[in-house]
Amino acid sequence: MQPLPKFEYREPGSVAEAARLLAELGSRAKLIGGGTDLVPSMRQGLYTPAYVISLQRIADLRGVAWEDGVGLRIGPMTTLREMEASAEARARFPFLAAAAREVGSPQLREMGTVGGNLCLDTRCRHFNQSEDWQDCVEACVKRGGEFCKASPNGRARKCFAVFSADLATALVAANARVTLQSAGGARTIELADYYTGDGASPTAGRPDEVLTEVLVPSAMQGVLGTYLKYRMRQAIDYPIAGVALTLRPRDGRVHDARMVVGGISSRPVIVKGLGALLEGKVLDETLAESAAKLARKSATPLANTAGDRAHRKQMVYEFARRALAEAAHAAAGAGGGEAR
Amino acid sequence: MKQVVQLNVNDAEHELALDPSRTLLEVLRESLGLTGTKEVCLLGSCGACTVLVDDRPVLACLTLASACQGKRVLTIEGLRQGEALHPLQQAFIDKGAVQCGFCTPGMIMAGKALLDRNPHPTPDEARAAIAGNLCRCTGYEQIVEAIVAAPAVDEAARVGAREGGHYLMPDMAE
Ligand SMILES: Cc1cc2nc3c(=O)[nH]c(=O)nc-3n(C[C@H](O)[C@H](O)[C@H](O)COP(=O)(O)OP(=O)(O)OC[C@H]3O[C@@H](n4cnc5c(N)ncnc54)[C@H](O)[C@@H]3O)c2cc1C
Ligand code: SF4
Ligand code: FES
Ligand code: FES
């Protein structure tokens, strides 16, 4: 069997030790959570880190807990299965547990972590290919070449590879924040700002930083949320489009709506103008249709994943419409008063 | 640089000097000769390499062997209890859930992980548990039937054992 490229393996016992290793090794090292993203790409020779640093023995990085006045704290080494089964997540933000459940397959969720999902590499049919295939073609931007093959004329000098993480898309809709720690200190940023939109370098995380916590702020309590995923098969496949929606129903009207679309661009795309369009209104079919059209407008996929571009765009509309219908239904169920 | 790794595979302790880039699948098949765990896509997309690590169903092709230091690994070879097959293996035979057999070890390990957590699954629960395992032959129906039927096979074997019999492997029964 085609072996993995050779590397040294480390298992630091604390975040401080992991940060120290990263400070010392710089971009020669790669962190590994469950390895379900990194190992396949190493197998294809896409990454050849000299050091692989596992976070699996750092107990502090695992678990989901609610803290009053703070929010839902999720350790990055929590597996997707633990996330989908977490009583706290299911009780407070069931759509986050549901989004975790949409990822890959049971085995991938058993291995894959929340942190790995947030830091998932972008994907493209010109990039995620075997070494043999790569050897036969010219390198594109993501592989250090000059041009993007997926761009309409093949001349763009930017990478548009697709960010396809299900849970990350839902967490952006949940206004999550992430904490990044390096040997020099820690910073906390909005998850939405963690994504650069550049397919070749999709996150703002530095090579010396460990993502140490995901926080869904307590102010999000009571929000209604949905995550709907479109894919070819009902398992294993990455999303062709994923639509996350959060809103707060009050007196039969919509407040604070936020829709995020994954699987179509190099970052989770926040649908512009949707919050303003829906604010304070009754979510009827006509309004839902206008909102879904906004979602379609925000989706500008390139020909780099499964499904053709027009179809993907139309599916964003369709899944946005369904998410809004689901939310309208749930809001009506919530009795028009305080959200559940 | 090689690292010494202690692995418990099917209740046997192994101490191996391994290059850290070796996967659990390579070590099982090539170092330990346990070729029941199949190698197909090596990319996490087929489930044929499913084994249980500390009772959790994982893909051996994406698991670094070094990361399994001190953990318990169960492969298809470890299911058999002496001469008797595991009830799920017997159920696969009884229901005709095997054609070419290449997906079978992975299917059985995924099914076992489900039965360990949920001893009486519904057909839909069985389908969800094998959603990450591809089969190109059977059309899945018999596999689902076998997983659902396993508890009854287990019960039959228990009754058989009480009455002094054994549920034998078919070739041994002749
Ligand atoms: C066949 C297949 C199908 C898949 N389908 C889906 C799908 O439908 N939806 C989906 O969302 N994903 C899918 N995935 C991807 C993957 O399984 C999940 O996204 C998983 O959550 C990744 O987590 P991990 O821990 O395995 O990541 P890893 O491979 O361990 O890491 C991924 C990246 O994140 C970095 N990283 C990990 N943890 C941290 C941290 N704490 N701080 C900083 N950097 C970190 C790593 O360095 C690496 O670059 C699929 C994968 C496969 C192989
Ligand atoms: S989007 Fe363009 S640059 Fe990026 S991986 Fe695909 S072909 Fe390469
Ligand atoms: S060989 Fe491991 S999933 Fe296909
Ligand atoms: S029996 Fe042939 S692949 Fe399943």
Side-chain angles (χ1 to χ4, degrees):
Chain A
M1 90 175 64
Q2 167 83 23
L4 294 178
K6 291 234 184 307
F7 54 81
E8 298 291 311
Y9 180 71
R10 298 284 182 271
E11 285 186 345
S14 67
V15 172
E17 198 186 331
R20 209 171 327 115
L21 275 171
L22 288 179
E24 178 192 322
L25 301 168
S27 50
R28 286 183 298 156
K30 271 239 178 226
L31 292 175
I32 189 169
T36 61
D37 182 40
L38 186 64
V39 176
S41 7
M42 290 202 301
R43 174 86 66 199
Q44 297 185 312
L46 301 173
Y47 297 105
T48 51
Y51 293 84
V52 170
I53 300 176
S54 168
L55 302 173
Q56 72 162 343
R57 310 273 171 192
I58 309 178
D60 304 353
L61 293 182
R62 199 152 173 174
V64 182
W66 175 261
E67 202 176 308
D68 284 328
V70 179
L72 191 71
R73 291 175 182 275
I74 310 166
M77 286 302 287
T78 306
T79 66
L80 295 171
R81 177 176 157 86
E82 287 161 356
M83 183 67 196
E84 90 187 61
S86 152
E88 287 291 4
R90 291 169 76 129
R92 296 175 194 272
F93 304 108
F95 70 104
L96 294 179
R101 199 187 163 77
E102 290 292 326
V103 173
S105 65
Q107 293 92 325
L108 289 165
R109 295 195 293 277
E110 201 73 67
M111 303 174 72
T113 64
V114 172
N117 196 260
L118 297 188
C119 303
L120 191 70
D121 194 16
T122 51
R123 303 181 60 78
C124 170
R125 63 158 74 124
H126 297 284
F127 180 72
N128 300 92
Q129 295 288 352
S130 69
E131 227 164 350
D132 287 348
W133 190 92
Q134 304 272 6
D135 283 347
C136 306
V137 296
E138 213 177 305
C140 65
V141 177
K142 194 165 165 80
R143 274 181 59 227
E146 210 175 340
F147 300 116
C148 166
K149 295 175 189 175
S151 57
N153 57 7
R155 306 306 283 176
R157 289 174 190 273
K158 188 186 165 199
C159 171
F160 301 91
V162 174
F163 185 71
S164 315
D166 292 302
L167 179 60
T169 302
L171 279 166
V172 172
N175 284 316
R177 291 182 206 137
V178 289
T179 300
L180 306 164
Q181 194 164 325
S182 67
R187 58 180 177 135
T188 297
I189 60 172
E190 295 289 323
L191 178 60
D193 297 334
Y194 186 54
Y195 300 107
T196 60
D198 175 359
S201 182
T203 76
R206 296 193 313 257
D208 68 336
E209 282 178 326
V210 185
L211 195 160
T212 53
E213 185 176 88
V214 188
L215 176 74
V216 181
S218 60
M220 290 303 285
Q221 223 178 341
V223 82
L224 267 181
T226 311
Y227 179 75
L228 297 181
K229 171 172 179 173
Y230 173 55
R231 56 178 160 186
M232 284 296 163
R233 302 171 292 185
Q234 287 313 300
I236 307 175
D237 292 340
Y238 282 93
I240 295 174
V243 174
L245 172 68
T246 53
L247 54 80
R248 217 178 268 281
R250 210 181 308 125
D251 308 326
R253 287 162 198 280
V254 173
H255 300 276
D256 305 331
R258 182 163 157 112
M259 184 181 278
V260 183
V261 185
I264 47 140
S265 165
S266 298
R267 58 144 45 110
V269 175
I270 299 169
V271 177
K272 276 208 199 85
L274 182 128
L277 176 72
L278 300 184
E279 187 59 34
K281 302 214 181 96
V282 176
L283 185 53
D284 58 18
E285 241 173 79
T286 327
L287 188 60
E289 179 144 347
S290 315
K293 282 184 180 153
L294 276 185
R296 179 168 59 195
K297 206 171 124 200
S298 72
T300 50
L302 294 190
N304 51 8
T305 66
D308 81 27
R309 293 161 64 195
H311 177 67
R312 281 160 70 199
K313 238 175 124 70
Q314 186 57 22
M315 286 296 116
V316 169
Y317 166 81
E318 179 55 27
F319 278 70
R321 206 185 51 72
R322 287 185 201 176
L324 289 154
E326 214 170 83
H329 187 75
E338 208 36 53
R340 57 172 175 142
Chain B
M1 204 179 60
K2 287 192 175 175
Q3 293 176 336
V4 173
V5 178
Q6 278 100 18
L7 289 182
N8 179 309
V9 182
N10 302 333
D11 284 332
E13 297 291 344
H14 297 272
E15 194 168 48
L16 303 157
L18 297 176
D19 188 283
S21 60
R22 298 193 74 201
T23 61
L24 180 59
L25 182 61
E26 288 169 306
V27 170
L28 290 173
R29 290 179 58 85
E30 295 166 9
S31 306
L32 301 178
L34 296 171
T35 52
T37 305
K38 297 302 173 211
E39 171 195 330
V40 182
C41 69
L42 296 177
L43 294 173
S45 342
C46 78
C49 64
T50 303
V51 298
L52 306 193
V53 173
D54 287 348
D55 304 321
R56 301 159 53 228
V58 301
L59 302 171
C61 73
L62 303 187
T63 302
L64 301 180
S66 300
C68 297
Q69 161 63 36
K71 296 183 184 174
R72 272 178 303 113
V73 181
L74 183 71
T75 73
I76 190 75
E77 289 91 345
L79 281 193
R80 191 169 142 175
Q81 311 285 320
E83 291 193 342
L85 287 181
H86 185 277
L88 185 55
Q89 291 175 304
Q90 189 59 51
F92 265 62
I93 297 171
D94 295 350
K95 295 289 174 184
V98 182
Q99 285 187 32
C100 82
F102 221 76
C103 70
T104 312
M107 287 286 183
I108 291 182
M109 297 318 286
K112 168 149 196 322
L114 169 69
L115 291 165
D116 287 347
R117 288 170 180 165
N118 173 0
H120 296 279
T122 64
D124 275 345
E125 287 166 342
R127 281 186 194 100
I130 58 161
N133 294 73
L134 298 185
C135 175
R136 293 292 84 149
C137 307
T138 63
Y140 302 99
E141 269 317 300
Q142 296 89 334
I143 294 174
V144 171
E145 283 171 21
I147 294 172
V148 172
V153 173
D154 194 17
E155 184 53 31
R158 254 188 275 244
V159 172
R162 264 204 306 277
E163 290 166 2
H166 276 302
Y167 218 114
L168 294 180
M169 292 181 65
D171 57 337
M172 294 174 171
E174 293 194 348

